[in-house]
Amino acid sequence: MVTLKELAKLLNVSVSTVSKALSDSSEIGESTKRRVTELANELNYKPNRIAQQLKSSKTKVVGVVVPSLMNPFFAEVVHGIETTLGSHNYDMTVCISNESLEKEQRSFDLLSTGSVDGFIVAVARETQTKHNIKHFENVSRTTPIVMFDRVLNDVACSKVIVNDYQSVYDTTRYFIERENRKNILLISNIEELSVGKYRIDGYTKAIEEAGLKTKVLKLGRELNPRPLIFDYLKENKDLDAIVSIDHITGIMALNKAKLLGKNIPEDISIIGFGYADSKYVSSPNISVINQKGFEIGETSAKLLLEELNSKSRVKHKTIMVKSQLNLNDTSKKV
């Protein structure tokens, strides 16, 4: 591989001139920049990343820690992060906590020794339930952190959140006011998480305002919730609407309702949490609260880059990305 020194010799200029030309410095004339760039491209010159890091004290790498990549929401967020970082010549290292506090702590220990310039993280389930934040506090003293979706309010860092309360409140009101539904079930397997609590609160508020009875099926960490969902639907034949506040139980409920002979959406309407393409993994196509994962990832990366590139101390921000109700075949056309 050709080096900076070899380029300079071939062009009969100094190493400094080549370096500045490749950095688009205003000190170098356009014709010289063009000569340097053309030869560098022709010879497939690649800058020495380690040397650049030593010179700038930056790795140009961001650590991304997420609970899972099996959940399409987190996969979509990571895609948004990667796309944004890549457009600013940053790379990323992804670690998966698998909802474990210990694995999350190990990820931070591994990456906070100069391997990355900053972190983007969605907090693990166990971290939230145990509220252990020491690893975040230790790192945030020297390295910027941006939290998204699952955040800890008492950690001093920037955050990207979703309007969890309002989105489920509005969805429940939609069932009540537009579809005239009276027996609305909320299904959850994330009730112990902050986002789950906000969503349940939004549902409860809308139901109580309408003078209806709350019906909440909490599944916890049940590995196979399908039988529980099936039994609940079988025992509560008067249900006429379901709102699922996680990415998978809405589709499970849809399948079980069909097994029980329910016509959808005539007998029962179903809206889940998901992403724009969720409709393609069910039949009929499920209606969803679209969390806009790509936009969340994009926003998180921009917030972190803003902090990394600032010459002064940046005030932490909290940005809300509003979700969108995407109505498809499992809700009435009204």
Side-chain angles (χ1 to χ4, degrees), residues 317-332:
K317 298 178 181 178
T318 296
I319 296 177
M320 177 179 286
V321 174
K322 292 185 178 180
S323 55
Q324 182 179 31
L325 182 57
N326 292 352
L327 298 175
N328 296 307
D329 298 336
T330 62
S331 52
K332 284 187 175 181

Side-chain angles (χ1 to χ4, degrees), residues 230-282:
F230 181 80
D231 290 343
Y232 192 96
L233 297 184
K234 188 176 180 180
E235 292 168 8
N236 295 269
K237 295 182 173 60
D238 60 340
L239 292 176
D240 56 14
I242 296 173
V243 54
S244 163
I245 63 169
D246 57 80
H247 82 286
I248 191 66
T249 57
I251 293 175
M252 291 180 181
L254 168 59
N255 292 334
K256 297 308 178 185
K258 287 162 60 179
L259 278 178
L260 290 168
K262 297 284 187 180
N263 292 316
I264 301 166
E266 291 78 16
D267 298 332
I268 187 168
S269 284
I270 301 171
I271 295 177
F273 252 82
Y275 53 105
D277 290 342
S278 293
K279 62 183 181 181
Y280 298 123
V281 298
S282 69

Side-chain angles (χ1 to χ4, degrees), residues 174-233:
Y174 169 83
F175 276 146
I176 296 167
E177 296 176 357
R178 304 293 297 277
E179 295 197 13
N180 197 31
R181 304 295 187 176
K182 303 296 183 185
N183 296 291
I184 305 168
L185 170 67
L186 179 140
I187 303 179
S188 166
N189 68 2
I190 56 169
E191 57 271 8
E192 75 274 35
L193 299 178
S194 58
V195 293
K197 291 173 182 175
Y198 289 135
R199 293 171 192 177
I200 292 173
D201 287 346
Y203 161 84
T204 302
K205 180 66 172 177
I207 292 291
E208 290 178 347
E209 284 181 350
L212 301 175
K213 183 179 179 181
T214 58
K215 297 179 180 182
V216 178
L217 176 57
K218 295 181 179 180
L219 300 168
R221 302 195 69 177
E222 179 65 40
L223 294 177
N224 181 18
R226 294 174 183 83
L228 296 178
I229 295 172
F230 181 80
D231 290 343
Y232 192 96
L233 297 184

Side-chain angles (χ1 to χ4, degrees), residues 84-295:
T84 306
L85 292 178
S87 67
H88 290 81
N89 296 316
Y90 272 77
D91 293 315
M92 68 179 184
T93 297
V94 180
C95 292
I96 300 172
S97 69
N98 199 25
E99 303 289 12
S100 163
L101 168 61
E102 181 187 359
K103 286 187 177 180
E104 186 176 82
Q105 290 171 328
R106 280 165 48 195
S107 296
F108 271 75
D109 288 343
L110 172 69
L111 299 176
S112 61
T113 56
S115 299
V116 299
D117 295 334
F119 286 91
I120 300 174
V121 57
V123 178
R125 185 188 298 254
E126 189 178 13
T127 303
Q128 279 209 327
T129 54
K130 291 185 176 180
H131 199 74
N132 188 320
I133 62 174
K134 188 175 181 180
H135 53 301
F136 294 124
E137 292 179 328
N138 290 341
V139 168
S140 64
R141 295 190 185 104
T142 57
T143 308
I145 298 173
V146 173
M147 290 183 174
F148 72 89
D149 187 50
R150 302 185 193 176
V151 304
L152 297 169
N153 291 327
D154 44 359
V155 175
C157 67
S158 291
K159 302 173 178 75
V160 179
I161 59 175
V162 181
N163 57 333
D164 292 292
Y165 174 96
Q166 193 66 42
S167 63
V168 178
Y169 174 86
D170 291 342
T171 298
T172 308
R173 294 294 300 178
Y174 169 83
F175 276 146
I176 296 167
E177 296 176 357
R178 304 293 297 277
E179 295 197 13
N180 197 31
R181 304 295 187 176
K182 303 296 183 185
N183 296 291
I184 305 168
L185 170 67
L186 179 140
I187 303 179
S188 166
N189 68 2
I190 56 169
E191 57 271 8
E192 75 274 35
L193 299 178
S194 58
V195 293
K197 291 173 182 175
Y198 289 135
R199 293 171 192 177
I200 292 173
D201 287 346
Y203 161 84
T204 302
K205 180 66 172 177
I207 292 291
E208 290 178 347
E209 284 181 350
L212 301 175
K213 183 179 179 181
T214 58
K215 297 179 180 182
V216 178
L217 176 57
K218 295 181 179 180
L219 300 168
R221 302 195 69 177
E222 179 65 40
L223 294 177
N224 181 18
R226 294 174 183 83
L228 296 178
I229 295 172
F230 181 80
D231 290 343
Y232 192 96
L233 297 184
K234 188 176 180 180
E235 292 168 8
N236 295 269
K237 295 182 173 60
D238 60 340
L239 292 176
D240 56 14
I242 296 173
V243 54
S244 163
I245 63 169
D246 57 80
H247 82 286
I248 191 66
T249 57
I251 293 175
M252 291 180 181
L254 168 59
N255 292 334
K256 297 308 178 185
K258 287 162 60 179
L259 278 178
L260 290 168
K262 297 284 187 180
N263 292 316
I264 301 166
E266 291 78 16
D267 298 332
I268 187 168
S269 284
I270 301 171
I271 295 177
F273 252 82
Y275 53 105
D277 290 342
S278 293
K279 62 183 181 181
Y280 298 123
V281 298
S282 69
S283 178
N285 297 341
I286 190 168
S287 298
V288 293
I289 299 169
N290 180 4
Q291 293 175 272
K292 297 184 179 178
F294 186 91
E295 185 177 337

